[in-house]
Amino acid sequence: MASESTVLESATFAFLDIETTGGNSARDRITEIGIRFWRAGEVVGEWQTLLNPETRISPFIENFTGISNEMVADAPLFADVADELEEQLKDKVFVAHNARFDYGFIKSEFRRLERLFSAKVLCTAKLSRRLYPEFRRHNMDALIARHGLAQVQRHRAMGDVSAMLSFFEHARAEKGDERFESALRELLQRPSIPSHLPTDILQGLPRGPGVYRFYGENDVLLYVGKSTNIAQRVASHFSGDHNSSRGVRMSESLRRVECTETAGELGALLLELKQIKTLKPLFNRRSRAAKNLVSIELSKNEAGYLQARLVREIEPHRLGDYFGLFRSKRDAERALSGIAAKNELCNRLLGLEPENEGPCFQRSLGRCKGACEELENVERYNLRVQIAFHGLRLKTWPWKGPVGIVERNARTGRTDILVVYNWMHVATLHDENELQDLSLCGQAVAFDLDSYKLLIGTLLDRTKAGSMPHRVIELPAIGEPDVLMP
């Protein structure tokens, strides 16, 4: 039986390096590409070009790379060479040092042309870490000095390509084909791991639900996420981080991963929201706490007409008196304007115009039926207001006191009891006996838009649909928590 061919024998390796106008693949552009092709121990070709980046190269980058604006003025655009480059890299192993950077830029350039690009990627920085774990530094200058490699023109594409290939051949000769081949197979088959993380990082992560945290240098918190399978989700970050400049930047900064297991998905979702809002990781934006959470309250004026006012101090025990939750005053006023226009309500009574004598401005345009002048029947107007705002009324808490939502993980045996009151997650316990000693007095919790929506969907909407997946324990009144407003 013929022996299985090795990667070194069967694969063509494309050693590639690029120079760019900066470090952000979403904003910056490629100025030079150099590739040397290697197969079965021999260089079998090379390809290189300068590129016109369609933007100015800064003096700092000119000095750093030696590539000036004059040098690239008449160079081809990436669009001009895209077809040829794709053909050159077809079925090749894409090899680069800190490959996330080079691969991310190449993908971004193709994405600008509305084309997809993907390749099997080998990072020589990771290869160095795999073969020489006793050393701390694995940047190209460190490899050249440590292994006595020939000096090259650094920060020019073909110079860095030469250095990469020299290291590749040196390491193969020093470590032997068997060990070198094993390292190649492992790196090419495993999910792509950022170069500053240990290669076995995924092996230590749980396969169940919970929250994971990415930390950068000096333990700066970069990102908080949740999943029903932490290891799988983290691996997907690593394999998909080339899809955006944000992912590339986060991967390059990543130094440490931590996680907190939960019994189920709801506990993971609530913990993720809490940690994003309190810890404020750099790369989380969508779920950050609103700085000025705003709602709308209706009350009668002296003439008995319902008027609207914006409220910032939301009292969770009287949610039924409020209409809508908005992240800013502007969002609330935009909603009021839409309601007024759709239902021909008075802008002045909705707080969209200042108090003045005479009709409101919309009345002069025929878009108000005269409530501002007390010409519309007050009962009819108030009924129209109540109908217009009905869909925005916040959900009142359906239980007399707090409840414990029980999540149990049959695989791990873990139990979480999520104590919730007035749509706020107050505490997490792990044994029903702990409920007897629980007091909410003095506990500081925040009323939050995202948690409100999440718990509404879990506790109210699913209960009505008959699909509530959790056991709910009704608890006696055990004090009121201190509610913090954003």
Side-chain angles (χ1 to χ4, degrees):
M1 179 182 293
S3 61
E4 181 185 359
S5 64
T6 67
V7 176
L8 288 168
E9 292 172 341
S10 62
T12 300
F13 295 81
F15 289 84
L16 179 148
D17 186 76
I18 61 173
E19 301 304 327
T20 68
T21 61
N24 186 327
S25 62
R27 180 182 66 242
D28 298 310
R29 305 297 297 272
I30 298 175
T31 57
E32 186 179 34
I33 303 175
I35 311 173
R36 189 161 289 152
F37 301 97
W38 185 97
R39 183 180 178 89
E42 294 183 2
V43 173
V44 292
E46 62 180 47
W47 186 90
Q48 62 179 314
T49 184
L50 289 169
L51 291 175
N52 184 332
E54 302 179 83
T55 186
R56 296 290 295 174
I57 302 173
S58 71
F60 172 80
I61 295 296
E62 278 194 356
N63 184 61
F64 184 71
T65 64
I67 299 174
S68 67
N69 287 289
E70 290 73 21
M71 290 170 63
V72 299
D74 297 322
L77 307 180
F78 184 87
D80 298 330
V81 303
D83 289 342
E84 184 180 0
L85 176 63
E86 186 174 37
E87 184 62 31
Q88 291 284 351
L89 295 175
K90 184 178 179 180
D91 299 326
K92 312 292 195 305
V93 177
F94 185 112
V95 188
H97 202 71
N98 291 322
R100 273 180 168 71
F101 180 85
D102 303 80
Y103 188 52
F105 263 90
I106 295 292
K107 285 179 71 73
S108 289
E109 292 284 7
F110 274 105
R111 194 180 302 115
R112 289 188 181 96
L113 303 177
E114 298 183 350
R115 294 167 60 171
L116 297 177
F117 174 81
S118 67
K120 184 172 287 190
V121 179
L122 175 67
C123 177
T124 50
K126 293 177 189 174
L127 180 63
S128 177
R129 290 180 184 277
R130 178 70 178 83
L131 293 172
Y132 301 94
E134 66 272 23
F135 297 110
R136 186 173 65 87
R137 300 181 63 211
H138 297 270
N139 60 59
M140 186 54 70
D141 288 327
L143 299 190
I144 291 171
R146 183 158 62 235
H147 300 292
L149 306 179
Q151 293 297 316
V152 296
Q153 185 180 7
R154 294 283 285 115
H155 309 302
R156 285 300 301 270
M158 290 308 289
D160 289 342
V161 162
S162 296
M164 246 194 303
L165 182 53
S166 293
F167 165 72
F168 186 87
E169 293 179 325
H170 170 85
R172 178 190 181 190
E174 186 169 79
K175 297 298 182 180
D177 277 5
E178 184 175 350
R179 185 174 177 188
F180 193 76
E181 173 80 22
S182 175
L184 290 181
R185 286 187 178 276
E186 183 179 348
L187 291 172
L188 290 172
Q189 291 175 5
R190 68 170 48 180
S192 180
I193 306 295
S195 59
H196 293 288
L197 292 179
T199 56
D200 61 352
I201 179 69
L202 296 177
Q203 298 175 21
L205 296 177
R207 266 57 182 171
V211 168
Y212 57 92
R213 294 170 295 280
F214 291 166
Y215 291 89
E217 290 183 348
N218 301 316
D219 255 9
V220 172
L221 182 60
L222 303 175
Y223 185 79
V224 173
K226 70 87 191 173
S227 179
T228 55
N229 185 321
I230 294 174
Q232 187 177 75
R233 182 70 185 99
V234 171
S236 74
H237 271 285
F238 298 161
S239 61
D241 61 6
H242 313 296
N243 293 332
S244 68
S245 62
R246 175 175 171 272
V248 172
R249 295 198 314 274
M250 188 163 66
S251 288
E252 289 174 347
S253 304
L254 187 54
R255 297 294 184 274
R256 183 166 66 87
V257 179
E258 272 189 358
C259 63
T260 302
E261 293 186 76
T262 61
E265 184 178 17
L266 179 59
L269 283 164
L270 289 170
L271 181 59
E272 177 196 35
L273 286 173
K274 180 179 179 181
Q275 293 195 345
I276 289 173
K277 293 170 197 302
T278 57
L279 303 178
K280 297 179 174 58
L282 293 178
F283 287 90
N284 290 92
R285 290 190 180 92
R286 290 184 57 192
S287 297
R288 286 189 178 181
K291 294 181 179 179
N292 299 294
L293 197 62
V294 177
S295 189
I296 301 167
E297 189 173 29
L298 300 176
S299 60
K300 291 182 179 180
N301 65 10
E302 293 180 357
Y305 289 91
L306 283 174
Q307 59 185 8
R309 73 180 186 92
L310 302 184
V311 292
R312 301 183 188 278
E313 298 296 326
I314 298 170
E315 301 176 61
H317 64 276
R318 50 184 292 261
L319 290 179
D321 296 334
Y322 302 120
F323 298 86
L325 285 172
F326 306 94
R327 296 186 184 275
S328 68
K329 177 183 176 183
R330 178 181 295 180
D331 289 346
E333 289 177 339
R334 189 179 295 118
L336 284 170
S337 295
I339 291 171
K342 185 176 181 180
N343 299 278
E344 294 185 302
L345 299 179
C346 177
N347 273 19
R348 184 180 297 163
L349 290 175
L350 294 185
L352 296 172
E353 290 185 25
E355 289 289 340
N356 287 314
E357 295 293 330
C360 70
F361 178 69
Q362 294 297 316
R363 172 69 170 163
S364 65
L365 300 176
R367 298 172 185 168
C368 168
K369 297 187 176 184
C372 47
E373 300 180 281
E374 300 181 13
L375 296 178
E376 182 178 0
N377 177 274
V378 65
E379 286 80 13
R380 184 181 296 112
Y381 179 81
N382 288 347
L383 178 61
R384 293 199 304 112
V385 170
Q386 290 168 351
I387 292 172
F389 279 84
H390 176 74
L392 284 178
R393 186 184 292 274
L394 300 188
K395 305 294 185 183
T396 57
W397 182 244
W399 289 277
K400 293 181 179 179
V403 298
I405 307 169
V406 182
E407 285 194 303
R408 179 168 175 78
N409 189 309
R411 185 180 63 83
T412 63
R414 179 188 178 96
T415 297
D416 287 344
I417 304 172
L418 310 169
V419 180
V420 177
Y421 189 35
N422 284 324
W423 312 115
M424 297 179 294
H425 177 214
V426 181
T428 298
L429 308 178
H430 304 287
D431 190 317
E432 291 187 29
N433 293 326
E434 297 179 53
L435 294 173
Q436 300 173 6
D437 302 321
L438 178 66
S439 172
L440 302 187
C441 293
Q443 296 208 39
V445 293
F447 185 79
D448 171 68
L449 173 59
D450 295 304
S451 296
Y452 168 80
K453 290 180 177 179
L454 171 62
L455 290 167
I456 286 285
T458 301
L459 294 177
L460 207 58
D461 297 344
R462 291 189 185 180
T463 300
K464 288 179 180 178
S467 60
M468 179 62 183
H470 305 96
R471 182 164 67 94
V472 176
I473 304 172
E474 293 192 49
L475 304 176
I478 45 181
E480 294 284 340
D482 296 329
V483 179
L484 305 176
M485 295 308 299

